[in-house]
Amino acid sequence: MNVKIERLAIIGVGLIGGSLVRALREAGALKSVVGIGRSLPNLEEALSLGICDEITQDLVEGVRGADVVFISVPVCAIPGVVAGIAPALAPGCIVTDGGSVKSAIVSECEALMPPGCFFVGGHPIAGTEHTGAAASFATLYRGRRCILTPTERTDVAALERVSRMWRLAGADVCLMEPGHHDRIFAEISHLPHMAAYALVHAVGTADVEGENVLSYTAGGFRDFTRIASSDPAMWRDIALMNRNSLLQSIDGFSTSMAELRRRIAAGDGEGLSEFFTTAKLFRDGII
Ligand code: NAP
């Protein structure tokens, strides 16, 4: 067997962490996996599904002897988790994460690493609106990108090992500066989630002569708003942690909505056609 990781500790055995383990198991890249979390039912599910070999609710116990620690809890919890495990890390241990925001996590977690241990920030560009160990599956990362966000403090060998781990899980690895990552993902991921939540909120609270307008929704509304079913705690954390970039993105979106409103109010058919055609061209250009 092609064992690359002797003991992998997964903190937060949900969709992202569970899927990574499943993919690495299929690749024959793991010797043993310890799952670490807060609630016993999710950990027991991860054990019964064969994702983990051992489970514990004790962070410090769980990371002892691990050569790689992968953290996949909501982003605001990641620095606290790293602070908690740092004194228990084995020499040479690599700590990495799958959080959707990078700047704050990378700078805080790098500073928390004890000498001889290494932090590498990461973000797999794959997911669903479902959560928990039971939602995980081995092919989640196949053919998808995983962005790693090294800094000048990143250990080159640790970066290479984490890159290899993601490639074994099926992902295409690319490198990006953490702040650049946060600006891009504010636009293409975090803003769309905010727009979906805001749209469903607006329609769900719309008062049209006492009618429950949501009962009339059809395919288009459902397609567009699927991501508003995503976990509220995860998105609360992303919105708070990527606040500055996200506010810029929301301002851009507000400007776009205001322009659209202006053209509708003015009865500007030509302007509306031009607006929609430009958007359609952008959308059709997405591969
Ligand atoms: P998930 O399925 O809900 O898994 C999160 C896990 O973290 C759960 O096992 C949960 O178990 C544990 N957890 C929750 N809050 C915690 C806390 N405060 N402290 C410690 N553990 C906690 O979520 P996920 O989709 O895997 O997301 C995990 C991470 O991946 C997040 O940082 C997210 O930004 C990132 N990510 C998500 C996606 C996506 O589309 N879902 C894509 C890319 C990256 P307990 O409640 O039992 O502790």
Side-chain angles (χ1 to χ4, degrees):
M1 195 164 71
N2 185 20
V3 176
K4 308 283 185 197
I5 298 175
E6 287 289 319
R7 185 171 170 82
L8 174 65
I10 298 281
I11 305 177
V13 193
L15 171 73
I16 294 300
S19 296
L20 178 63
V21 175
R22 286 180 191 265
L24 292 174
R25 278 199 192 281
E26 278 199 7
L30 298 175
K31 194 160 178 193
S32 72
V33 177
V34 53
I36 309 163
R38 293 177 311 180
S39 78
L40 212 46
N42 183 62
L43 288 175
E44 281 169 348
E45 178 119 53
L47 193 63
S48 73
L49 289 168
I51 298 170
C52 303
D53 304 303
E54 301 164 42
I55 52 172
T56 176
Q57 290 168 286
D58 186 329
L59 275 176
V60 166
E61 266 319 300
V63 301
R64 262 191 226 293
D67 46 341
V68 177
V69 175
F70 180 73
I71 305 173
S72 42
V73 303
V75 289
C76 289
I78 292 177
V81 163
V82 172
I85 62 172
L89 296 174
C93 181
I94 296 172
V95 179
T96 184
D97 78 309
S100 307
V101 180
K102 294 274 59 90
S103 267
I105 288 176
V106 171
S107 63
E108 288 188 52
C109 295
E110 279 184 346
L112 287 163
M113 281 299 99
C117 295
F118 313 103
F119 184 80
V120 178
H123 178 204
I125 311 307
T128 72
E129 67 278 26
H130 304 298
T131 58
S136 65
F137 54 101
T139 54
L140 178 64
Y141 304 117
R142 203 168 286 167
R144 310 299 298 271
R145 274 194 193 146
C146 178
I147 297 175
L148 300 182
T149 56
T151 68
E152 68 281 357
R153 297 176 70 174
T154 305
D155 180 82
V156 175
L159 176 63
E160 181 45 37
R161 192 150 187 230
V162 175
S163 301
R164 218 164 47 229
M165 177 184 85
W166 279 109
R167 279 191 228 107
L168 284 167
D172 296 326
V173 172
C174 70
L175 306 184
M176 209 179 265
E177 190 275 317
H180 187 63
H181 165 281
D182 288 354
R183 195 63 200 92
I184 287 181
F185 284 88
E187 290 289 342
I188 55 129
S189 171
H190 308 168
L191 175 63
H193 278 81
M194 299 306 121
Y197 281 124
L199 179 69
V200 177
H201 199 276
V203 175
T205 55
D207 183 12
V208 184
E209 289 144 22
E211 279 267 30
N212 173 13
V213 294
L214 285 177
S215 67
Y216 292 95
T217 57
F221 188 88
R222 281 159 203 251
D223 288 352
F224 183 75
T225 58
R226 178 183 58 82
I227 55 178
S229 286
S230 301
D231 182 37
M234 182 173 117
W235 283 97
R236 173 205 60 208
D237 274 25
I238 291 170
L240 291 176
M241 204 178 233
N242 202 18
R243 178 183 343 200
N244 293 338
S245 293
L246 185 53
L247 289 175
Q248 276 186 55
S249 300
I250 289 174
D251 288 347
F253 183 61
S254 302
T255 303
S256 200
M257 278 299 273
E259 180 55 25
L260 185 54
R261 188 187 190 288
R262 191 192 65 72
R263 294 182 195 199
I264 294 169
D268 179 3
E270 203 176 309
L272 284 172
S273 293
E274 189 262 338
F275 193 99
F276 297 149
T277 302
T278 306
K280 178 174 161 47
L281 283 173
F282 284 134
R283 179 64 182 86
D284 292 349
I286 298 174
I287 29 170

